Amino acid sequence: MKKFSIVVAGGGSTFTPGIVLMLLENIKRFPLREIKFYDNDGARQKIIADACAIILQEKAPDIKFSYSTDPKEMFSDVDFVMAHIRVGKYKMREQDEKIPLRHGVLGQETCGPGGIAYGMRSIGGVLEILNYMETYSPNAWMLNYSNPAAIVAEATRRIKPDAKILNICDMPIGIESRMAQIAGLKSRKEMRVRYYGLNHFGWWSRIEDLQGNDLMPKIIDHVKKYGYIPLSDTAHVEASWNDTFAKAKDVSALDSTTLPNTYLKYYLFPDYVVKHSNPDYTRANEVMDNREKTVFGSCRAITEQKNSSAGHLEIDEHASYIVDLASAIAFNTQERMLLIVPNNGSLENFSSDAMVEIPCIVGSSGPEPLVMGPIPLFQKGLMEQQVAVEKLVVEAWIEKSYQKLWQAITLSKTVPSASVAKAILDDLIIANKDYWPELK
Ligand code: NAD
Ligand code: G6P
Ligand code: MN
């Protein structure tokens, strides 16, 4: 069996150790000869990488491992780029969340003005990684889960339409795992779904078991009472995520024939979200105080004691969708997966040049999107507004246009007026001066 070489871009991410452990767990179906880490923050990456070196030495000494901030070294001779960068890191995520809240608008990593601000930072970073791949390993594929995926995907569609990049999100996977539990199945892989929407903005329109039995009535009945919280809930999730899964109860009430992505709460209940936010302590603070401290603390302990059992790093089994995707390309598995791809007629009454999240069959030559047919008026109306926001952000970045970015923020369903949009934009420009193009 062929063995592959991969580079993790954003080696210093809090998700990197969990993904390395997940890759080791799946090594039989996706064999590796080399793992490399690339990050533009060498000091942050070193803490994660030194611990991963010890883990790999213990568990898989045959896999060559290296890390660097030098793109030529890290992007040469790779088959896959697994990209999860966060341009501006948590310090800027905190600004994305807190600036809109100061104006009474919700502050979220990927939705509303915060997601737009993050998009304006991410586009350049993701394009840079893509260019490194095309320069040093032109046959490689980039599996991108850097956020905000919707805006990043639209930017690469516009600027590099032929690039070998696949954009994927783990939210539907997390929700489907809960749905499987609700339906009494062992795994989400025992379900076959129809789904349509934009990234962090979509609906399941059909869910069947592998025999073709309709599971929608049972799951809808549960979600209407409890949201996406299974009756015997054993998952360790923080209170803020638990609230999001529970709130799906109210989100689902808007349409009785589909099941919603949890992120729709930000667009359909923004007043509720603002009311339940603490403007001085947002999700970025929670992540810095919990996940970042635990992961970096564990890595430091492993490096000091030169032993992987000195830390508490968990396998990110849920991230095995990345191996599913890489294997689909590497071994032509023809697996059915949700990806963010150009619509091209799949949603027949929606713009063909919109980046939509839909099921695709994935093989060695990439994704083949499935036809999801026409979409209902409620969803179509919401999606048209949101896709226009995403396209305006990309145009604003390309043209360095203040006006288009103001239009984008104004058009976001989370923002009440053009004057509030302008006030938020002017604050965001100051906060992002080291990251955004200078707007005209
Ligand atoms: P993090 O800040 O811990 O890690 C991001 C890393 O990217 C940092 O080490 C940073 O130095 C590095 N980086 C920033 N800009 C870079 C650049 N231009 N080139 C190279 N490296 C750069 O963040 P995290 O919380 O671990 O999340 C990482 C990313 O993964 C985020 O974009 C997050 O939104 C995304 N994510 C996506 C999904 C999904 O479903 N699509 C799921 C989870 C996380
Ligand atoms: C889900 C989404 C990701 C997002 C993440 C945020 O997994 O699909 O796109 O980045 O949640 O999680 P966090 O724990 O960082 O708030
Ligand atoms: Mn996502």
Side-chain angles (χ1 to χ4, degrees), residues 179-219:
M179 289 172 166
Q181 226 181 314
I182 291 165
L185 303 174
K186 279 206 269 318
S187 145
R188 66 177 183 88
K189 297 215 175 181
E190 293 173 25
M191 306 190 313
R192 186 147 300 145
V193 309
R194 291 174 71 80
Y195 180 95
Y196 63 83
L198 313 171
N199 177 237
H200 290 184
F201 204 100
W203 293 264
W204 282 266
S205 56
R206 179 142 183 106
I207 305 171
E208 293 175 352
D209 64 17
L210 297 182
Q211 288 72 46
N213 298 307
D214 185 5
L215 301 174
M216 285 294 270
K218 183 167 181 185
I219 302 172

Side-chain angles (χ1 to χ4, degrees), residues 3 41 51 158 176 213 233 253 264 286 342 348 382 401 412 440:
K3 291 188 174 183
D41 179 341
R158 275 289 295 268
E176 284 176 15
N213 298 307
D233 191 16
L264 287 160
E286 218 170 72
E348 69 179 56
L382 287 166
S401 165
S412 173
K440 299 184 283 236

Side-chain angles (χ1 to χ4, degrees), residues 248-260:
K249 165 182 179 306
D250 296 334
V251 179
S252 76
L254 277 135
D255 181 18
S256 57
T257 60
T258 60
L259 281 161

